[in-house]
Amino acid sequence: MRANILIELALLILLPLSVCAQNAQDPVNADVLYLSLDSCIQKALRNNAAWKNAELDVLIAEQTKKEAVTMYFPHIEAGAAAFHSDKPFIEYGIGDISDAGIRNTLQALYMQYGNALGIPNSIGFLEKGVVAGVTAIQPIYAGGRIVAGNKLAGLGVDAAKYKQQIARRDIILKCEELYWQVYALEQKRNTVESATDLLENLHKDVGRAVEAGLVLKNDLLRVELELNKMRSNKLQLESGRDLAKSALCQYIGEAEPDSLVLLSGLSGELQNPEMFKIDALASVSGSYEAELLDLSVEAEKLKKRMTLGEALPQIGFGGAYAYNNLMEKDYTNLVGFAAVRLPLSEWWSTAHKLKKHRFEIEKAENTRNDLMQQLALRTTKIYDDLETSYRQVMNAESSVANAKENLRLSRDNYNAGLVSLSEMLEAQALYMQAMDFLTEETINYKIKLLHYMQLTRTDSN
């Protein structure tokens, strides 16, 4: 019986969709956007802002890693300076000679010949000049900070990629939720429209019966009242459906068209969730969240290693090339050097920093263990909700079968004059409620199943 109900439901759903699929081949109607669930997901992954930012985060992390690699290379600096003063910085004349005898002799000679020959009585230095140089330093050992820094940058790339996968998972889940929300409202509208058609035909039949004097006019008023309710419900559903379509188009980055047609629907028999069940702890240990938690612990250990490197010796060698014309003559120098730095005063503060990092590592491990347990509990709860949803679908299918049979009997009995019109209309309303409930629960199951599969990182069929 359940299989027959699913077939009837599938026919009810797929019949209008088959017409939409045929229209999708018509390129003339450019104001209609035809979307399948897969196409919505692809558009969301291509256009959604969260996905774009996740991709940019990966690129940023990769550039940070490349930046860290450059620390292995020599550190090269070049510089130049030029100056011109209104008077020399250093000036030395005859009067600056400390020996009085030599000073007097030179002064006498200058007075006799200096002015005539145009010789100044003092010499100036550093009045103008140019200084330039290039220095290259190759680090040999920096306390292990370069190696640790590169490993830390590598962890940043891994973390960005895991976050990208989490963003992808969340985008797919949100896209499916929006898609099925539109689908559910469309199906409810179709159900109300079918009921409206039936009530319109019933209104005609009851109207003729009233004219023939077979029934009271109250029955006709009851049908009109129910018909007005259906028309009002149809308008509300159309308004809600249009709003849901706008939300879906915004999320996948599509301009809202005049009309949106969904090409994917519910089909086939739902699979029992037991076939997808995985041990919660085992699934959590391989999740992206668990990988991020492990990276956080590893990152704290590397930070501790870098802090330790600040107190260790640092060794490097290098060379320098210098040029100057300060003495009004070009001079060049090529210098090679080696340097050892011992940060003695850092040892006391580093000891406290290392203790702080040990506490940070312990804190990260505690956080990881606690969140792993929470993730396992969340996975278990989602599976329990999935099982509950599956049983709800089974109950909904049974309710549809009972409501359909009750509606058939009510119509037959009404036509035979055995039941009142109110009872027949009530049976119609119960059947509609059962159909709507089945659609809602089936979609709810599909979304919960997708969520569970994403958390356990299994492939969805």
Side-chain angles (χ1 to χ4, degrees), residues 219-460:
D219 288 343
L220 182 62
L221 294 176
R222 289 193 184 95
V223 175
E224 290 177 350
L225 179 61
E226 196 67 26
L227 187 58
N228 289 333
K229 287 182 180 179
M230 287 298 169
R231 289 169 177 167
S232 177
N233 290 338
K234 181 180 177 181
L235 292 175
Q236 292 178 3
L237 288 170
E238 287 177 345
S239 177
R241 177 202 59 188
D242 293 341
L243 183 61
K245 286 182 177 180
S246 298
L248 177 61
C249 288
Q250 187 277 331
Y251 194 76
I252 65 177
E254 280 284 349
E256 187 176 357
D258 293 340
S259 180
L260 174 65
V261 176
L262 305 183
L263 298 177
S264 301
L266 301 174
S267 61
E269 186 172 354
L270 297 184
Q271 295 171 304
N272 194 309
E274 290 183 358
M275 64 186 300
F276 305 107
K277 187 175 183 180
I278 296 178
D279 181 74
L281 288 175
S283 65
V284 165
S285 62
S287 65
Y288 297 121
E289 287 86 352
E291 297 287 357
L292 284 173
L293 292 172
D294 291 338
L295 289 180
S296 66
V297 176
E298 186 64 24
E300 289 298 334
K301 293 179 179 179
L302 289 173
K303 290 178 182 179
K304 177 185 175 183
R305 183 68 185 84
M306 293 183 68
T307 299
L308 177 61
E310 295 177 359
L312 296 178
Q314 300 174 34
I315 304 172
F317 70 87
Y321 174 81
Y323 163 82
N324 74 84
N325 62 354
L326 301 179
M327 304 300 293
E328 298 185 355
K329 182 179 178 181
D330 294 337
Y331 290 93
T332 60
N333 299 92
L334 185 61
V335 181
F337 60 87
V340 178
R341 177 176 177 269
L342 295 175
L344 300 178
S345 62
E346 298 291 332
W347 290 354
W348 292 274
S349 63
T350 300
H352 296 291
K353 291 179 181 179
L354 291 176
K355 289 182 180 179
K356 182 179 71 173
H357 279 296
R358 283 199 295 269
F359 297 145
E360 292 290 347
I361 292 172
E362 185 177 354
K363 180 180 176 181
E365 290 175 343
N366 292 336
T367 301
R368 178 190 60 186
N369 295 335
D370 180 62
L371 291 179
M372 289 282 284
Q373 294 177 2
Q374 292 185 29
L375 288 172
L377 291 174
R378 184 184 69 170
T379 303
T380 301
K381 182 181 183 304
I382 290 176
Y383 180 79
D384 292 341
D385 293 342
L386 180 63
E387 279 194 327
T388 301
S389 179
Y390 182 74
R391 290 193 293 268
Q392 290 280 67
V393 173
M394 299 299 102
N395 293 335
E397 290 176 353
S398 178
S399 298
V400 168
N402 294 333
K404 182 178 181 180
E405 179 63 16
N406 179 59
L407 177 60
R408 185 189 66 81
L409 292 175
S410 296
R411 285 176 178 171
D412 292 343
N413 291 333
Y414 175 76
N415 293 332
L418 300 177
V419 298
S420 65
L421 177 63
S422 298
E423 291 176 316
M424 197 270 286
L425 293 176
E426 183 179 0
Q428 175 71 36
L430 291 174
Y431 178 70
M432 287 180 53
Q433 293 176 8
M435 289 292 294
D436 289 343
F437 184 69
L438 177 58
T439 300
E440 291 176 357
E441 290 302 320
T442 303
I443 291 174
N444 187 39
Y445 174 81
K446 287 181 68 67
I447 293 175
K448 290 183 181 298
L449 179 60
L450 173 67
H451 194 188
Y452 179 74
M453 286 181 170
Q454 288 180 336
L455 286 180
T456 55
R457 296 176 68 176
T458 57
D459 295 329
S460 177

Side-chain angles (χ1 to χ4, degrees), residues 65-86:
K65 182 179 180 181
K66 292 178 180 179
E67 178 186 354
V69 172
T70 62
M71 300 304 295
Y72 286 111
F73 305 148
H75 182 68
I76 302 174
E77 290 185 353
F83 69 95
H84 192 292
S85 177
D86 61 337

